Amino acid sequence: MATLQFWFDYASTYAYLSAMRIDDVAAKRGVSIDWRPFLLGAIFKAQGWETSPFNVYPAKGRHMVRDIERIADARGLPFQIPDADGFPRQSLLAARVGMIARREGWIADYTRAVFRAEFGPEQVDIGDRNALQSVITTAGLNASAIDAADDDTNKAELRQLTDEAMAAAIFGAPTFITPDGEMFWGDDRLEHALNWMTDGHV
Amino acid sequence: MATLQFWFDYASTYAYLSAMRIDDVAAKRGVSIDWRPFLLGAIFKAQGWETSPFNVYPAKGRHMVRDIERIADARGLPFQIPDADGFPRQSLLAARVGMIARREGWIADYTRAVFRAEFGPEQVDIGDRNALQSVITTAGLNASAIDAADDDTNKAELRQLTDEAMAAAIFGAPTFITPDGEMFWGDDRLEHALNWMTDGHV
């Protein structure tokens, strides 16, 4: 089964849109998903931004919120966004747990649970350790993972995946990379990536 | 007939994609198009950029080129982009002529001719007066328009439309604004804008 790389940051609103549907739409095309959490903030810093471009450029930020409201509504998904003080959330801990979930094979369920908590009506601050712990427990997943999240090996593996993202010239999330190295950026390019893999054109 | 505002800059690669199809896809939905040229560079300047964000952020620029190559290929459109020195083209004169074409009712044909010359195999520098004149003549359009382009009234009208874009918080091109004031950014949101107008959701 051909595999599509799905690169995402747990604070990314558009990655939320993709995470909630990628397994379903990919399965219909006979494609499996390699879920790859990374730290987009590190890449933004390298571009000279100290926060999300949606904060740096407020007009763009307002459009993003309205754009996702409209799309989420059409897809039957909840969507609320923290106010400027709380956006983007600190995604470091969620990503470290994501690395463990990835190794242990429960990253898809975990990631959907995190995004649903973060952008759903509960508006969970996923950067808060207790709050994230509660998300994992409620989802019936491996609650001990959060204790292992800060192990040096695990931290190093997340750094390595983020370095790999930077080396691949990833500049935003979600990003999809096909087996032949084509890069697609944005939830609105997920179908393009799948078309590319199955038909050879978008 | 309901009218969708189509805001574009003559140097914008994604606006090229929309210009080549917007009349056709809108007509199928019973929607007419109000073609609105403006100067995106003025808005970029207000955001602190001296050039296109695709030059400011090279990784994003490389993705844009590949993204449009793939889409243009699927749509049977040519697409070539000038090297960094020639991108973005100076779109001021083309936009001033666009204002005349808009008043006289030939802006759709004119705009498609300009974009085809700019991003097609001819790689015309549309910022060059003689080259633009030749594009207009070849397209069988009003070749005298270019002489009237720099009239004070015409210049002022373009400035006014650009001010209107800024007041509407437009930050990129293409941008679509529906009669009820919903803003959609990007060629990939054209269908959303039309769905919104005809179905009330994207």
Side-chain angles (χ1 to χ4, degrees), chain A residues 14 47 49 57 59-60 62-63 66-67 70-71 74 169 171 182-185 188-189 192 196 202, chain B residues 14 47 49 57 59-60 62-63 66-67 70-71 74 169 171 182-185 188-189 192 196 202:
Chain A
Y14 284 105
Q47 291 183 347
W49 297 329
Y57 306 108
K60 203 167 186 170
R62 283 191 296 273
H63 176 270
R66 189 71 191 122
D67 186 47
R70 291 184 301 234
I71 294 169
F171 58 91
E182 290 283 325
M183 179 194 293
F184 297 84
W185 169 55
D188 44 33
R189 294 299 186 271
H192 284 201
W196 186 266
V202 301
Chain B
Y14 284 106
Q47 291 182 346
W49 297 328
Y57 306 109
K60 203 167 186 170
R62 282 190 298 272
H63 176 269
R66 190 70 191 120
D67 186 47
R70 290 184 301 233
I71 293 170
F171 58 90
E182 290 281 326
M183 179 194 293
F184 297 84
W185 169 55
D188 43 33
R189 294 298 186 273
H192 285 201
W196 186 266
V202 302

Side-chain angles (χ1 to χ4, degrees), chain B residues 12-170:
Chain B
S12 161
T13 49
Y14 284 106
Y16 160 57
L17 289 182
S18 293
M20 301 313 279
R21 69 194 188 100
I22 194 166
D23 272 351
D24 289 344
V25 295
K28 280 182 193 143
R29 308 291 291 268
V31 168
S32 69
I33 298 301
D34 177 11
W35 294 64
R36 300 192 155 210
F38 73 107
L39 297 176
L40 186 53
I43 288 173
F44 285 166
K45 269 203 183 106
Q47 291 182 346
W49 297 328
E50 289 301 315
T51 178
S52 163
F54 296 128
N55 290 339
V56 179
Y57 306 109
K60 203 167 186 170
R62 282 190 298 272
H63 176 269
M64 176 274 285
V65 172
R66 190 70 191 120
D67 186 47
I68 299 190
E69 281 174 353
R70 290 184 301 233
I71 293 170
D73 190 55
R75 294 184 188 170
L77 285 176
F79 179 67
Q80 291 179 38
I81 191 162
D83 58 27
D85 288 350
F87 179 81
R89 295 292 188 197
Q90 267 288 356
S91 54
L92 177 65
L93 184 62
R96 285 182 180 162
V97 175
M99 293 305 290
I100 297 172
R102 186 170 183 253
R103 275 196 302 279
E104 297 182 354
W106 44 282
I107 188 166
D109 283 340
Y110 164 74
T111 302
R112 285 187 290 258
V114 170
F115 276 131
R116 209 180 287 117
E118 182 180 9
F119 295 119
E122 289 182 71
Q123 290 283 290
V124 172
D125 177 2
I126 61 158
D128 179 87
R129 184 170 292 259
N130 290 333
L132 186 64
Q133 172 87 57
S134 166
V135 168
I136 300 170
T137 307
T138 306
L141 300 169
N142 180 358
S144 72
I146 206 157
D147 297 320
D150 296 329
D151 288 355
D152 283 345
T153 322
N154 190 58
K155 285 159 69 173
E157 284 189 23
L158 176 60
R159 269 197 303 272
Q160 197 181 328
L161 213 51
T162 299
D163 287 346
E164 202 181 312
M166 216 173 294
I170 287 176

Side-chain angles (χ1 to χ4, degrees), chain A residues 15-34:
Chain A
Y16 160 58
L17 289 182
S18 293
M20 302 313 279
R21 70 194 188 99
I22 193 167
D23 272 351
D24 288 346
V25 296
K28 278 181 193 143
R29 308 291 290 268
V31 167
S32 70
I33 298 300
D34 177 11

